[in-house]
């Protein structure tokens, strides 16, 4: 009997660590998805490095209480799957939101972003952001713009002086 309790305590501890160490966690209700749809979803999440698993709500409640995210207890009704990513806060929200657009049976319940409870609206806003690579690309293009404009201006002056001397 005590080994079962120890196993459950270990699961709660591991789940609490995932909430602490992840950039984001998204809670979803997956009722109504058939096996092929769940397989497709898991495949998309796995490709992005997102951990997706179903935990008992009682275990999840204990874990969120342990990490002081007890506001999540409100959404822990019915079947709940959790998607975690330790490095990318956008990936779980983006994949699950895009999947939910095509599959009405997948419902995003809420989540955690950077250690703070996030509402459904905040998760959807996060899903609309570009991923990490996209943000880096946008940042680099902003950094390159002044240099590029300077190069164009220098080239225009050089062309103008060349025309004047010709």
């Amino acid at each position: 009997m005590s080994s079962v309790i120890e196993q459950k305590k270990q699961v709660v501890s591991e789940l609490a660590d995932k909430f602490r160490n992840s950039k984001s966690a998204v809670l979803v209700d997956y009722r109504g998805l058939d096996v092929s749809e769940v397989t497709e979803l898991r495949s998309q999440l796995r490709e992005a490095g997102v951990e997706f698993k179903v935990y008992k709500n009682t275990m999840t409640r204990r874990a969120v209480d342990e990490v002081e995210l007890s506001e999540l207890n409100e959404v822990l009704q019915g079947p709940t799957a959790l998607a975690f990513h330790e490095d990318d806060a956008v990936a779980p929200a983006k994949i699950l939101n895009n999947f939910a657009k095509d599959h009405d049976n997948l419902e995003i319940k809420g989540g955690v972003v950077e250690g703070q409870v996030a509402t459904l609206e905040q998760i959807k806003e996060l899903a609309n952001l570009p991923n990490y690579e996209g943000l880096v690309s946008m940042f680099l293009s902003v950094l390159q713009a002044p240099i590029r404009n300077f190069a164009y201006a220098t080239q225009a002056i050089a062309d103008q002086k060349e025309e004047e001397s010709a």
Side-chain angles (χ1 to χ4, degrees):
M1 178 86 145
S2 65
S3 68
V4 173
I5 293 172
E6 290 301 318
Q7 288 175 343
K8 288 182 179 183
K9 285 182 180 179
Q10 183 178 359
V11 169
V12 169
S13 176
E14 289 173 7
L15 189 52
D17 286 342
K18 287 179 185 183
F19 276 112
R20 277 189 208 100
N21 299 331
S22 296
K23 292 276 186 186
S24 71
V26 180
L27 289 79
V28 296
D29 183 346
Y30 57 91
R31 278 185 287 198
L33 294 178
D34 61 29
V35 173
S36 64
E37 291 171 330
V38 172
T39 303
E40 178 187 346
L41 176 60
R42 286 182 184 274
S43 173
Q44 289 177 17
L45 291 166
R46 194 176 312 112
E47 285 176 18
V50 177
E51 182 181 342
F52 185 72
K53 193 169 180 183
V54 177
Y55 292 94
K56 288 185 173 260
N57 285 339
T58 54
M59 304 282 193
T60 307
R61 281 189 193 99
R62 289 187 177 153
V64 297
D65 287 342
E66 187 177 316
V67 294
E68 299 174 2
L69 298 169
S70 53
E71 299 122 70
L72 286 177
N73 286 331
E74 298 171 11
V75 297
L76 292 172
Q77 306 294 325
T80 304
L82 300 162
F84 295 98
H85 200 293
E86 290 188 7
D87 301 323
D88 189 354
V90 177
K94 183 177 281 301
I95 293 168
L96 290 168
N97 190 50
N98 289 341
F99 196 85
K101 287 178 185 175
D102 298 333
H103 301 85
D104 294 334
N105 292 330
L106 184 72
E107 176 192 348
I108 298 174
K109 295 180 169 186
V112 178
V113 178
E114 298 285 339
Q116 300 295 317
V117 174
T119 64
L120 177 61
E121 293 77 28
Q122 290 170 326
I123 296 293
K124 290 190 178 195
E125 286 176 21
L126 184 64
N128 293 327
L129 290 175
N131 62 6
Y132 178 76
E133 290 80 16
L135 289 172
V136 169
S137 173
M138 292 167 76
F139 179 68
L140 290 176
S141 68
V142 168
L143 289 178
Q144 290 176 342
I147 296 168
R148 189 179 323 112
N149 292 342
F150 178 72
Y152 289 145
T154 306
Q155 184 64 42
I157 291 171
D159 291 345
Q160 184 180 19
K161 288 192 177 201
E162 187 176 300
E163 286 177 9
E164 288 175 3
S165 65

